[in-house]
Every structure is written in C-alpha cells, then in structure tokens.
Amino acid sequence: MNFEHFFRQELSSLKKEGRYRVFADLERQAGRFPKATFHGPKGPREVTVWCSNDYLGMGQHPDVLAAMHEALGKCGAGAGGTRNIAGTNHYHVMLERELADLHGKEAALLFNSGYMSNWAAISTIAAKIPDCVILSDALNHASMIEGMRHSRASKVVFAHNDPDDLRRQLARLDRKAPKFVLFESVYSMDGDIAPVSAMLDVCEEFGAFTYIDEVHSVGLYGPRGAGIAAREGQSHRLDVIEGTLGKAFGVLGGYIAGSAAMCDFVRSFASGFIFSTALPPAIAAGALASIRHLKASDMERQQHQQRVSEVRSALDAAGIPHMMNPSHIVPVMVGDAALCKRLSDDLIAEFDIYVQPINYPTVPRGTERLRITPTPLHTTEDIARLAEALSSIWSTIGLKRAA
C-alpha cells in the first residue's frame, strides 16, 4: 500500500468538501483578552477573538496569574511523575478538595483534560461493573462516546434531551441489569440545556447510576459557579459530576466529583489516570485560584449573560440567523461547509475578527455554523463591529437573512 498517497487522498477529500481545518496562529495577550495577535500570511496583526472557550476571561485574571507565578517559583515546572509516583503535589490535593466542595460531593479526582476525565471515568466504571448497560444521550460528546467504546459495555442511545424516550429505553432492559445513564448539561454546539430534574426522576425510577458532563456549565451557572445541576438544586441526586478547568475556569484539566468510594475506585483502576503524568503544580494553583474567585464573585457571570443578550439583539437587528437557546452559546447558522469557511476567512481578512467555522463531524452536514461565544470582556463596540461585519459579508455572499 502507498501510505503517503492514501493520506494525501483523504486530505484532498476534506479540502474539496470545505471541511479541511486550518489552525489560526494566535498569540493571546494577557490583560487584553479578547484581543490576540494573529500571525497570518501578511504578518502579525491584532484581531478580536469571538470563539474562545475561556468564557469569562479567567485565563488572564490577576489572581490566577499570581497564583501560577507563585507556584512556579515554589515548585518548578512539572509535577515530576504520575500521581502515584511522586507526582501528587499539595496543590493537586487542595484543588480536589475545592472541587468536591464546589459540587457538594465527598471527593473529586483530577485529570489532565476534560476529554481524559470522560474517557477514563466512563470506560472504567462501565467496564468493571458486571453486565453494565450504558444509556447515552444521542448528542453526547466524542470523549463520552470514546469512553463507552473502550468499556465494551452494551450501549443504548436515547433521543436527545428526552426523558420519555429514556424511560422507554430503560423499561426494555432487564430490571436487574446495572444501568449507567450519561448526559450533558449544556450541549456545546447547539447550546441547549438538559432537563436535569426530569432526567433524574427517570433514572431514580429505574435505579440507574447517573453521570453528567458539565464542562460548558461550570463556572458560568448556579450558586458559586457550580453548574446547571447546582442551579436547579439537583447536584445531590447525581452520582458523578464531570467538569473541566480549561473553559470558564480559564486554565487546563478535567475532573470528576462524587462519592469518596467512586473517586477512589476510578483512581485505582483507570489506566488513563494511573499512567498519566500529573498536571504541573502551577496549573493546579491557577485553577484553584480561579475556582475560589468565581465561588465568591457573581459579577463575571452577570456581565457574561448581559453580553450574550446584547450579541443576540445585535444579530437580530442585522437579520443574521442564529439558533435560539437558553445558554451562552450563539450558533450563527450557515448550512454549508465551504460558505462557512469563507465567512470565517473573510471576517479575519477584512474585519480582524476571528470565529472558527464548525463543520462535520463536529456538527451534522447541513448545519455548519459559526459558534460565537461572547465574554464579559467584549465591549459594546466589539459587538457592534461583529454584527456589522457579519451583515456586510452576508450580503456579499448572498446568504438568506432571518425574518
């Protein structure tokens, strides 16, 4: 087999479909977010970023940076090993305690990313429980799907955010079979929110073990930023709450929170945890500072929601179609991969605005979009410029406007 020819053919197919991904060479500017330096073909220039998952700008918060600098000076660069072999630093211990407190759980366990926490926790729990059956929301994240695959447990997919279909699927199973239900709180591409209480009512009816992914929710919703489940008073009913430190908390890492026995079980059996070098102490220190700040301050969350509302109003006024949802994610719907990429390219080339195109397989074909994520640090002028730029390019390309 000519392997190089195969690789080139596959890449060529992506390019023909308009799905070939080009990374924007960005240099974040601490203290000036959402501004960044874009290193493009015409040299470096300043752009405004509209698609970052640093939802609250905590990646540049003075408390976070100070904590990281202090830890770097005290502990050095890396952790020095896996958590089991010399890699558990006191910052890791404090961070896990802070996360457990955030979610009102007995314990928490750190991972190097949200992807790893989902993959390792789900695969370990489902693989170890005899005859376990996983019930998964149809739109669960790739990391959750990978965990299910790796577990080799039986899997049933239920209709997205549909407690009635979940009940139907559970009713078909052997009442004695261990059942493991997985869903998210905020879905990252459409921005819709799960009916958490109704889902848990069904799970409790059938004695199912429950797992919620709150990566696009923690820091942003609920008392002290504990997420959607906390906002709705449902955290105590969940067996596992999974989250990230790399989005609203602005740093890096993932985690699970739940009972002490469950966390200890995953710690003791998950290969993805056991054989991974621990997060650098400075990273853990930064996340710790971010969580503590957002537990005490609601200002960032209030400003965030205000900016989201302003962006939606500006897009409405310009006739730019966007998917309505109750969250902070604003999907501008295009419906064509090539046009979506052209929009993104034109925005950065002509208006110094960066929004990455989102296409298949992240979203279904025909639903390609620009995923806009306002932050508290976007200004009124930034919002007006975004709406004007989109309106101008929309007209140039000849796309249909919203009614």
Side-chain angles (χ1 to χ4, degrees):
M1 179 178 183
N2 186 328
F3 294 99
E4 287 298 311
H5 178 69
F6 173 78
F7 299 149
R8 292 191 187 102
Q9 271 192 323
E10 292 296 303
L11 291 171
S12 179
S13 295
L14 282 180
K15 291 175 182 177
K16 286 178 182 177
E17 290 182 51
R19 295 196 296 116
Y20 181 72
R21 301 181 186 209
V22 178
F23 294 158
D25 184 352
L26 298 170
E27 185 177 340
R28 281 160 63 92
Q29 300 177 12
R32 302 200 66 238
F33 181 80
K35 305 300 180 184
T37 301
F38 171 61
H39 295 271
K42 297 181 180 179
R45 69 180 194 275
E46 187 174 89
V47 298
T48 303
V49 178
W50 274 101
C51 55
S52 175
N53 284 341
D54 187 0
Y55 292 131
L56 300 177
M58 292 301 293
Q60 67 171 22
H61 194 280
D63 290 355
V64 174
L65 300 186
M68 294 182 74
H69 282 297
E70 180 183 2
L72 186 64
K74 288 171 62 177
C75 303
T82 65
R83 290 289 300 275
N84 192 48
I85 304 176
T88 295
N89 188 278
H90 187 52
Y91 285 108
H92 299 128
V93 176
M94 289 192 292
L95 178 53
E96 286 174 339
R97 289 173 181 166
E98 200 74 29
L99 287 164
D101 175 76
L102 176 68
H103 294 292
K105 297 297 184 182
E106 290 180 339
L109 187 67
L110 282 172
F111 292 85
N112 289 5
S113 70
Y115 192 104
M116 178 60 76
S117 56
N118 269 336
W119 174 79
I122 292 168
S123 65
T124 301
I125 292 169
K128 284 287 185 181
I129 296 174
D131 303 317
C132 180
V133 180
I134 298 172
L135 293 102
S136 172
D137 187 285
L139 295 187
N140 274 343
H141 189 263
S143 58
M144 302 173 81
I145 294 169
E146 193 64 26
M148 289 183 269
R149 286 176 179 165
H150 191 74
S151 75
R152 299 186 179 180
S154 298
K155 182 184 76 172
V156 175
V157 176
F158 60 90
H160 176 55
N161 277 350
D162 190 338
D164 292 333
D165 191 53
L166 175 59
R167 178 179 283 105
R168 284 191 290 270
Q169 301 298 340
L170 282 165
R172 292 171 182 168
L173 300 174
D174 182 347
R175 295 285 298 191
K176 296 180 181 178
K179 302 163 186 68
F180 188 13
V181 176
L182 314 176
F183 61 102
E184 300 181 38
S185 58
V186 177
Y187 286 82
S188 63
M189 289 299 122
D190 289 352
D192 52 338
I193 295 177
V196 177
S197 179
M199 299 286 275
L200 294 177
D201 287 345
V202 176
C203 291
E204 289 173 357
E205 180 182 340
F206 290 88
F209 190 81
T210 54
Y211 185 110
I212 192 170
D213 176 319
E214 290 249 45
V215 298
H216 293 277
S217 166
V218 290
L220 300 173
Y221 300 95
R224 308 188 305 161
I228 292 293
R231 185 187 75 176
E232 299 182 7
Q234 303 299 313
S235 296
H236 65 287
R237 301 175 68 190
L238 285 151
D239 294 302
V240 186
I241 297 174
E242 185 267 348
T244 185
L245 305 170
K247 293 183 170 61
F249 292 129
V251 193
L252 176 71
Y255 65 89
I256 57 172
S259 73
M262 184 277 297
C263 288
D264 197 14
F265 172 85
V266 175
R267 180 190 71 87
S268 300
F269 290 105
S271 63
F273 176 85
I274 294 169
F275 296 104
S276 290
T277 297
L279 285 171
I283 296 293
L288 180 64
S290 182
I291 293 164
R292 285 176 174 171
H293 175 84
L294 290 174
K295 278 182 174 179
S297 172
D298 199 43
M299 177 185 68
E300 291 82 2
R301 286 185 283 277
Q302 291 178 0
Q303 291 178 342
H304 184 230
Q305 291 299 316
Q306 178 62 32
R307 288 292 182 258
V308 171
S309 177
E310 290 172 8
V311 167
R312 290 190 183 279
S313 295
L315 295 179
D316 286 339
I320 304 300
H322 59 97
M323 185 181 293
M324 293 304 298
N325 61 54
S327 77
H328 58 284
I329 295 164
V330 185
V332 169
M333 306 308 292
V334 180
D336 178 275
L339 289 179
C340 198
K341 185 177 186 309
R342 180 179 170 184
L343 269 167
S344 175
D345 290 345
D346 288 352
L347 279 171
I348 201 165
E350 299 176 23
F351 296 96
D352 297 330
I353 289 172
Y354 171 57
V355 189
Q356 184 71 12
I358 305 293
N359 51 43
Y360 180 84
T362 307
V363 296
R365 286 186 173 90
T367 68
E368 291 82 4
R369 67 198 65 184
L370 299 178
R371 178 181 178 273
I372 293 172
T373 53
T375 75
L377 301 173
H378 284 98
T379 66
T380 301
E381 291 75 20
D382 290 333
I383 295 170
R385 182 167 174 76
L386 172 68
E388 290 166 6
L390 280 170
S391 182
S392 174
I393 299 172
W394 219 261
S395 296
T396 300
I397 296 177
L399 292 171
K400 184 178 180 181
R401 291 183 184 266

